[in-house]
Coordinates of all heavy atoms in Angstrom, one line a residue:
D1 N 0.8 -1.2 0.1 CA 0.0 -0.1 0.0 C 0.9 1.3 0.0 O 1.7 1.5 1.0 CB -0.9 -0.1 1.2 CG -1.8 1.2 1.2 OD1 -1.9 1.8 0.2 OD2 -2.3 1.4 2.4
L2 N 0.9 2.0 -1.0 CA 1.6 3.1 -1.2 C 0.9 4.5 -0.9 O 1.5 5.6 -1.0 CB 2.4 3.2 -2.6 CG 3.2 2.2 -3.0 CD1 3.7 2.4 -4.5 CD2 4.5 2.3 -2.1
S3 N -0.4 4.3 -0.6 CA -1.1 5.5 -0.2 C -0.6 6.3 0.9 O 0.2 5.7 1.8 CB -2.6 5.2 -0.1 OG -2.7 4.5 1.2
L4 N -0.9 7.6 1.1 CA -0.5 8.4 2.1 C -1.4 9.5 2.4 O -2.3 9.7 1.6 CB 0.9 9.1 1.8 CG 1.0 9.9 0.5 CD1 1.4 11.3 1.0 CD2 2.2 9.3 -0.2
N5 N -1.4 10.0 3.6 CA -2.2 11.1 3.9 C -1.5 12.4 4.0 O -0.5 12.6 4.7 CB -2.8 10.8 5.3 CG -3.8 11.8 6.0 OD1 -3.9 12.8 5.2 ND2 -4.7 11.4 6.8
L6 N -1.9 13.4 3.1 CA -1.2 14.6 3.0 C -2.1 15.7 3.5 O -2.9 16.2 2.8 CB -0.9 14.9 1.7 CG 0.0 16.1 1.2 CD1 1.4 16.0 1.9 CD2 0.2 16.2 -0.2
G7 N -2.0 16.1 4.7 CA -2.8 17.1 5.3 C -4.2 16.8 5.3 O -5.0 17.7 5.0
G8 N -4.7 15.6 5.5 CA -6.0 15.2 5.4 C -6.5 14.8 4.0 O -7.6 14.4 3.9
I9 N -5.7 14.8 3.1 CA -6.1 14.4 1.7 C -5.5 13.1 1.6 O -4.2 12.8 1.5 CB -5.6 15.4 0.7 CG1 -6.1 16.8 0.9 CG2 -5.8 15.1 -0.7 CD1 -5.4 17.9 0.2
K10 N -6.3 12.2 1.0 CA -5.8 10.8 0.8 C -5.1 10.7 -0.7 O -5.9 11.1 -1.7 CB -6.9 9.8 0.7 CG -6.4 8.3 0.5 CD -7.4 7.2 0.9 CE -7.3 5.9 0.5 NZ -6.0 5.4 0.5
I11 N -3.9 10.3 -0.7 CA -3.1 10.4 -1.8 C -2.9 8.8 -2.2 O -2.5 8.1 -1.4 CB -1.9 11.1 -1.9 CG1 -2.0 12.6 -1.4 CG2 -1.1 11.2 -3.1 CD1 -2.7 13.5 -2.3
E12 N -3.2 8.4 -3.5 CA -3.0 7.1 -3.8 C -1.5 6.5 -3.8 O -1.3 5.4 -3.5 CB -3.6 6.8 -5.3 CG -5.1 7.0 -5.2 CD -6.0 6.1 -4.2 OE1 -5.5 4.9 -4.1 OE2 -6.8 6.6 -3.7
H13 N -0.7 7.3 -4.2 CA 0.8 6.8 -4.3 C 1.6 8.2 -4.3 O 1.1 9.3 -4.5 CB 0.9 6.0 -5.5 CG 0.7 6.7 -6.8 ND1 1.5 7.7 -7.4 CD2 -0.4 6.5 -7.7 CE1 0.9 8.0 -8.7 NE2 -0.2 7.4 -8.7
P14 N 2.9 8.1 -4.1 CA 3.7 9.3 -3.8 C 4.1 9.9 -5.0 O 5.0 11.0 -5.0 CB 5.0 8.7 -3.0 CG 5.1 7.3 -3.4 CD 3.7 6.9 -3.7
I15 N 3.7 9.5 -6.3 CA 4.1 10.3 -7.5 C 3.2 11.4 -7.7 O 2.2 11.1 -8.2 CB 4.3 9.2 -8.7 CG1 5.3 8.2 -8.2 CG2 4.7 10.1 -9.8 CD1 5.6 7.2 -9.2
M16 N 3.7 12.7 -7.4 CA 2.8 13.8 -7.7 C 3.6 14.9 -8.6 O 4.7 14.8 -8.6 CB 2.5 14.4 -6.4 CG 1.8 13.6 -5.3 SD 1.6 14.3 -3.6 CE 3.0 13.5 -2.8
A17 N 2.7 15.8 -9.1 CA 3.4 16.7 -10.0 C 3.4 18.1 -9.2 O 2.4 18.4 -8.8 CB 2.4 16.9 -11.2
G18 N 4.6 18.5 -9.2 CA 4.9 19.9 -8.6 C 4.4 21.0 -9.5 O 4.1 20.7 -10.6
A19 N 4.4 22.2 -9.0 CA 4.1 23.4 -9.8 C 5.2 23.5 -10.9 O 6.3 23.5 -10.7 CB 4.1 24.7 -9.0
S20 N 4.6 23.5 -12.1 CA 5.5 23.6 -13.3 C 4.7 24.2 -14.4 O 3.4 24.4 -14.4 CB 5.9 22.2 -13.6 OG 4.9 21.5 -14.2
P21 N 5.4 24.4 -15.5 CA 4.6 24.8 -16.8 C 3.6 23.8 -17.1 O 2.6 24.4 -17.8 CB 5.7 24.9 -17.9 CG 6.9 25.2 -17.2 CD 6.7 24.4 -15.8
L22 N 3.6 22.6 -16.7 CA 2.6 21.6 -17.1 C 1.2 21.9 -16.4 O 0.3 21.5 -17.0 CB 3.1 20.2 -16.8 CG 4.3 19.7 -17.7 CD1 4.7 18.3 -17.1 CD2 3.7 19.5 -19.1
S23 N 1.4 22.5 -15.4 CA 0.2 22.8 -14.4 C -0.4 24.2 -14.7 O -1.1 24.6 -14.0 CB 0.4 22.5 -13.0 OG 1.5 23.4 -12.5
E24 N 0.3 24.9 -15.6 CA -0.2 26.2 -15.9 C -1.6 26.4 -16.5 O -2.3 27.5 -16.3 CB 0.8 27.0 -16.8 CG 2.1 27.4 -15.9 CD 1.7 28.4 -14.9 OE1 1.0 29.4 -15.2 OE2 2.3 28.2 -13.8
N25 N -1.9 25.4 -17.3 CA -3.4 25.6 -17.9 C -4.1 24.2 -17.9 O -3.5 23.1 -17.4 CB -3.1 25.9 -19.5 CG -2.3 24.9 -20.2 OD1 -2.6 23.7 -20.1 ND2 -1.2 25.3 -21.0
L26 N -5.3 24.2 -18.2 CA -6.2 23.1 -18.1 C -5.8 21.8 -18.8 O -5.9 20.7 -18.4 CB -7.7 23.4 -18.4 CG -8.8 22.5 -18.1 CD1 -8.7 22.2 -16.6 CD2 -10.1 23.0 -18.4
D27 N -5.3 22.1 -20.1 CA -4.8 21.0 -20.9 C -3.7 20.3 -20.2 O -3.7 19.0 -20.2 CB -4.5 21.4 -22.3 CG -5.6 21.8 -23.2 OD1 -6.9 21.2 -22.8 OD2 -5.5 22.6 -24.0
G28 N -2.9 21.0 -19.8 CA -1.6 20.4 -19.0 C -2.1 19.6 -17.8 O -1.4 18.5 -17.5
I29 N -2.9 20.2 -17.1 CA -3.5 19.5 -15.8 C -4.1 18.2 -16.2 O -3.8 17.2 -15.6 CB -4.3 20.4 -15.0 CG1 -3.6 21.5 -14.5 CG2 -5.1 19.7 -13.9 CD1 -4.5 22.7 -13.9
K30 N -4.9 18.2 -17.3 CA -5.5 16.8 -17.7 C -4.5 15.9 -18.1 O -4.6 14.7 -17.9 CB -6.5 17.2 -18.8 CG -7.8 17.9 -18.3 CD -8.7 18.1 -19.5 CE -9.9 18.9 -19.2 NZ -10.8 19.1 -20.2
K31 N -3.5 16.4 -18.9 CA -2.4 15.4 -19.3 C -1.6 14.9 -18.1 O -1.2 13.7 -18.1 CB -1.3 16.1 -20.2 CG -1.9 16.5 -21.6 CD -0.9 17.3 -22.5 CE -1.5 17.5 -23.8 NZ -0.7 18.4 -24.6
L32 N -1.4 15.6 -17.2 CA -0.8 15.2 -15.8 C -1.6 14.1 -15.1 O -1.1 13.1 -14.9 CB -0.5 16.3 -14.9 CG 0.6 17.3 -15.3 CD1 0.6 18.4 -14.3 CD2 1.9 16.6 -15.1
E33 N -2.9 14.4 -15.2 CA -3.8 13.3 -14.7 C -3.8 12.0 -15.5 O -3.6 10.9 -14.9 CB -5.3 13.9 -14.4 CG -6.2 12.7 -14.0 CD -7.6 13.1 -13.9 OE1 -8.0 13.9 -14.8 OE2 -8.1 12.7 -13.0
D34 N -3.8 12.2 -16.7 CA -3.7 11.0 -17.7 C -2.3 10.3 -17.5 O -2.3 9.1 -17.8 CB -4.0 11.6 -19.1 CG -5.4 12.0 -19.3 OD1 -6.3 11.7 -18.6 OD2 -5.7 12.7 -20.5
S35 N -1.3 10.9 -17.2 CA 0.0 10.4 -17.1 C 0.2 9.4 -15.8 O 1.2 8.8 -15.6 CB 1.2 11.4 -17.2 OG 1.2 12.1 -16.1
G36 N -0.9 9.6 -14.9 CA -0.8 8.7 -13.7 C -0.3 9.3 -12.4 O -0.2 8.7 -11.5
V37 N -0.2 10.7 -12.4 CA 0.1 11.3 -11.1 C -1.1 11.3 -10.2 O -2.2 11.1 -10.5 CB 0.6 12.8 -11.2 CG1 1.9 12.9 -12.2 CG2 -0.5 13.7 -11.9
S38 N -0.7 11.2 -8.8 CA -1.8 11.0 -7.9 C -2.2 12.3 -7.3 O -3.4 12.5 -6.7 CB -1.2 10.2 -6.7 OG -0.1 10.9 -6.1

């Protein structure tokens, strides 16, 4: 089980996307979700 609790938010696994140009617009955010980040 790789899930974790981050400030009361259940995260499925520890691979997350930090603030970057990929998270600047809605298309990038959807691509990040599609790529498997938690």
Side-chain angles (χ1 to χ4, degrees):
D1 180 19
L2 294 176
S3 67
L4 56 118
N5 185 342
L6 182 66
I9 302 170
K10 182 171 173 34
I11 307 293
E12 295 299 321
H13 56 81
I15 300 174
M16 298 175 260
S20 71
L22 292 172
S23 61
E24 286 294 316
N25 58 46
L26 190 55
D27 290 335
I29 291 171
K30 288 179 183 179
K31 287 178 185 176
L32 287 169
E33 180 185 35
D34 292 342
S35 68
V37 299
S38 61

